[in-house]
Amino acid sequence: MQQNDTYILALDQGTTSSRAIVFNQNGIVIGIKQIPFNQIYPKPGWVEHDPFEIWQTQYDAAVGAIDAAQIMPSQIAAIGITNQRETTVVWDKHTGKPVHNAIVWQCRRSSSICQELKAMGFEKEIRSRTGLLLDPYFSGTKLVWMFKEIPGLRERAERGDLMFGTVDSWLIYNLTGKHVTDATNASRTLLFNIHEGRWDQDILKMLKIPAAILPEVKASSDDFGYTRKDLFGCEIPVTGCAGDQQAALFGHACFEVGASKNTYGTGCFALMNTGATPVESKHNLLTTVAWDLGKGYTYALEGSVFIAGAVIQWLRDEMRVLSDSAESERLARMVKDTGGVVMVPAFVGMGAPYWDPEARGATLGVTRGTTKAHFVRAAIESIAYQSRDLLVAMERDSGAAIPFIKADGGASANSFLMQFQADILDKPVILPEVGEVTALGAAYLAGLKIGYWSSMEEVERNWRRKRDFMPEMAGETRSRLLERWAKAVEVTRLFK
Ligand code: ADP
């Protein structure tokens, strides 16, 4: 490494681990460090993280990535942050000490609060202002829970002694001392008016949340302060910040209206760029801020498949039909089709466009001739069918056509899945050369602010494909398969 070369450091704070990646100007990974941390399950359905552990693992990962890159901290030109979204932290303004563990996005403890707010008729208003559903997933009702359950919290908040933030805010506070967030993270709190770009005073009143605890909302490519000198021995500017899914959309260079990405992890997260228009969904999709580069918001439609790679995990760990996830591809390729088997893995209900929390999984069309290979193939195909349902709903909601899908995430390593996705969508599926698109997105946001990269055109030029999967399936076959899938979903939903 040249002593005078400079790099961008991305901090990727995820749900199960903190990662840090050093990128060079070509968007290539130079150093990486990942540190897992503890999941805390106080009761069934509740999930917490220790905020200090989040910070400590993230800091150690940053130091580790700089070490791995064999560079000096002074060669880091800027830091970009991307993070697990919605997870809620409240800390004392004077001591920096959290008042409670972080309440994680997966945590369902505020279900009854959501029910009460629905019964009071607040859902429609909240939905139209925030683009979200009234669900425990989002930060707002987690915060309401804290105010209800932690004695004295409201008084401290009203005195101006407390700070609320999602994980980005918590990290930035520890890095630079500033109490800030960006519009993409704010748009996941249930408290942010995505049309007006400010905290919604009426919603704050509905939820009885004191405005004094809220961070300042900045652009995603902005000045978030300089790191404290004791952390890296020099002051590094923090100039990028976005929630993980939005950062991935940016890292894939999905800059045009209709440009879409799907991340194939435990679940799938699909986002479609809808440009300057926030599209209200008729199919239970979410409307969210994709990014803010200081020139007005770019919006996205978002949907998720709850059980995607998780169905492969289930076959591996519970059903024991796979020794590892990669074996699923070998098995799927052993048969020419599923032999009529369709699997609908509604293990935790069905997400958008169906939104049926009570549905449970089913496997249909099984015969005496059904083999393990048919079964596994049906499981993989279910990931593609569910993703297609989301993407078609996005096209219907936005009126924009999706030209192709950019893919990432652990299960995107499955080429059978990628090809089947292209076939069933009748659109190309494209894998990027750099798989770390989430961290890359945060790096780009940071680098654009300081002129490390000159423009979005440069980011787009930097984006390189690893492989294209072109649709090859005959139209007739596709129609027949889609009809069977639709029928299987219908039957599954009847069984409750
Ligand atoms: P997350 O970030 O959601 O934890 P990852 O992006 O690391 O997930 O992806 C892990 C998921 O991908 C697991 O559910 C695993 O079963 C699935 N997976 C990994 N490799 C493959 C493969 N070759 N084929 C199918 N699924 C896979």
Side-chain angles (χ1 to χ4, degrees):
M1 288 310 132
Q2 297 250 318
Q3 281 274 294
N4 52 1
D5 281 351
T6 59
Y7 303 88
I8 302 289
L9 174 65
L11 307 183
D12 180 359
Q13 206 302 309
T15 308
T16 56
S17 71
S18 297
R19 288 144 45 85
I21 303 185
V22 177
F23 290 99
N24 71 9
Q25 206 150 13
N26 296 322
I28 304 290
V29 176
I30 300 299
I32 182 165
K33 176 81 181 174
Q34 172 163 359
I35 306 176
F37 59 85
N38 288 306
Q39 306 294 310
I40 304 166
Y41 303 109
K43 289 185 188 182
W46 291 30
V47 191
E48 297 179 357
H49 292 155
D50 175 350
F52 277 130
E53 208 185 342
I54 289 182
W55 161 241
Q56 193 61 48
T57 52
Q58 189 58 74
Y59 172 64
D60 291 346
V63 172
I66 294 170
D67 265 1
Q70 298 183 301
I71 60 169
M72 303 292 292
S74 55
Q75 289 176 271
I76 301 292
I79 294 177
I81 292 174
T82 182
N83 54 288
Q84 54 166 319
R85 304 174 303 170
E86 298 102 7
T87 297
T88 301
V89 192
V90 175
W91 64 95
D92 187 292
K93 184 178 180 172
H94 311 289
T95 64
K97 266 181 71 173
V99 302
H100 192 274
N101 273 341
I103 303 183
V104 178
W105 58 275
Q106 297 151 322
C107 186
R108 307 301 292 175
R109 78 182 63 197
S110 55
S111 287
S112 61
I113 295 172
C114 290
Q115 291 309 329
E116 281 166 30
L117 291 168
K118 276 185 197 167
M120 289 158 86
F122 287 156
E123 186 167 36
K124 194 160 170 280
E125 201 56 40
I126 289 182
R127 180 160 176 71
S128 74
R129 292 172 187 227
T130 66
L132 307 176
L133 300 165
L134 193 38
D135 190 276
Y137 190 90
F138 307 106
S139 320
T141 60
K142 299 180 193 297
L143 204 44
V144 172
W145 182 92
M146 285 196 193
F147 280 119
K148 267 179 113 160
E149 300 296 329
I150 305 174
L153 203 67
R154 182 169 304 282
E155 292 69 32
R156 288 168 72 188
E158 278 163 359
R159 276 203 308 268
D161 291 340
L162 295 180
M163 291 175 165
F164 151 79
T166 39
V167 169
D168 54 307
S169 291
W170 169 243
L171 293 177
I172 294 172
Y173 174 78
N174 281 283
L175 286 164
T176 74
K178 289 193 187 293
H179 186 212
V180 289
T181 187
D182 93 298
T184 69
N185 277 294
S187 80
R188 313 299 296 186
T189 60
L190 209 74
L191 309 174
F192 190 70
N193 189 313
I194 58 169
H195 308 279
E196 295 172 5
R198 56 179 180 80
W199 299 115
D200 192 298
Q201 298 305 317
D202 297 328
I203 295 179
L204 293 177
K205 268 192 213 119
M206 281 180 213
L207 303 190
K208 302 192 179 69
I209 291 175
I213 65 169
L214 301 171
E216 179 192 348
V217 183
K218 307 201 81 156
S220 317
S221 198
D222 210 332
D223 173 17
F224 297 92
Y226 285 81
T227 57
R228 284 174 3 223
K229 197 145 186 228
D230 58 301
L231 293 173
F232 301 104
C234 55
E235 295 178 353
I236 307 170
V238 179
T239 53
C241 180
D244 52 9
Q245 301 308 322
Q246 289 96 330
L249 191 70
F250 201 84
H252 270 300
C254 288
F255 297 153
E256 308 288 325
V257 173
S260 305
K261 70 94 191 172
N262 197 14
T263 301
Y264 296 83
T266 310
C268 282
F269 281 95
L271 267 76
M272 175 204 227
N273 182 331
T274 64
T277 318
V279 173
E280 194 163 338
S281 174
K282 294 188 173 64
H283 300 94
N284 295 304
L285 299 168
L286 306 174
T287 311
T288 203
V289 176
W291 51 76
D292 174 11
L293 299 178
K295 293 174 280 189
Y297 293 170
T298 296
Y299 294 90
L301 273 172
E302 171 174 326
S304 54
V305 170
F306 300 147
I307 302 289
V311 72
I312 306 300
Q313 260 166 16
W314 171 71
L315 289 177
R316 187 188 66 199
D317 303 340
E318 260 70 48
M319 303 302 273
R320 311 227 167 217
V321 298
L322 299 171
S323 52
D324 56 45
S325 299
E327 198 192 349
S328 63
E329 178 166 353
R330 288 195 294 279
L331 277 166
R333 288 189 189 282
M334 283 169 62
V335 283
K336 68 174 197 326
D337 54 32
T338 66
V341 176
V342 185
M343 187 184 290
V344 184
F347 300 168
V348 292
M350 296 196 75
Y354 307 103
W355 215 266
D356 189 348
E358 306 307 323
R360 291 298 175 261
T363 303
L364 302 160
V366 180
T367 68
R368 181 64 184 82
T370 299
T371 65
K372 183 159 100 170
H374 292 124
F375 207 82
V376 169
R377 183 164 171 141
I380 299 178
E381 290 187 358
S382 77
I383 302 174
Y385 285 122
Q386 294 180 90
S387 296
R388 179 187 179 276
D389 287 344
L390 280 183
L391 295 161
V392 168
M394 286 177 179
E395 286 188 319
R396 292 201 178 129
D397 278 336
S398 67
I402 297 176
F404 47 75
I405 300 296
K406 290 181 171 174
D408 64 290
S412 71
N414 188 321
S415 300
F416 170 79
L417 168 62
M418 295 295 100
Q419 182 59 51
F420 189 77
Q421 185 72 83
D423 284 339
I424 210 68
L425 267 173
D426 199 17
K427 296 180 196 297
V429 173
I430 305 177
L431 280 183
E433 192 177 289
V434 177
E436 302 286 355
V437 283
T438 306
L440 190 54
Y444 281 142
L445 289 167
L448 282 169
K449 179 69 185 170
I450 59 159
Y452 187 81
W453 288 292
S454 59
S455 62
M456 288 169 82
E457 288 72 35
E458 192 184 354
V459 170
E460 216 161 355
R461 276 199 303 277
N462 250 352
W463 191 90
R464 285 174 300 272
R465 53 182 19 100
K466 182 162 106 189
R467 186 161 169 198
D468 285 6
F469 295 86
M470 302 306 289
E472 289 165 358
M473 186 178 274
E476 255 168 67
T477 314
R478 182 180 311 113
S479 306
R480 187 168 44 79
L481 291 177
L482 287 173
E483 216 172 287
R484 288 182 69 83
W485 167 253
K487 219 184 267 177
V489 169
E490 204 181 309
V491 171
T492 301
R493 294 182 64 191
L494 287 175
F495 186 80
K496 281 181 191 147

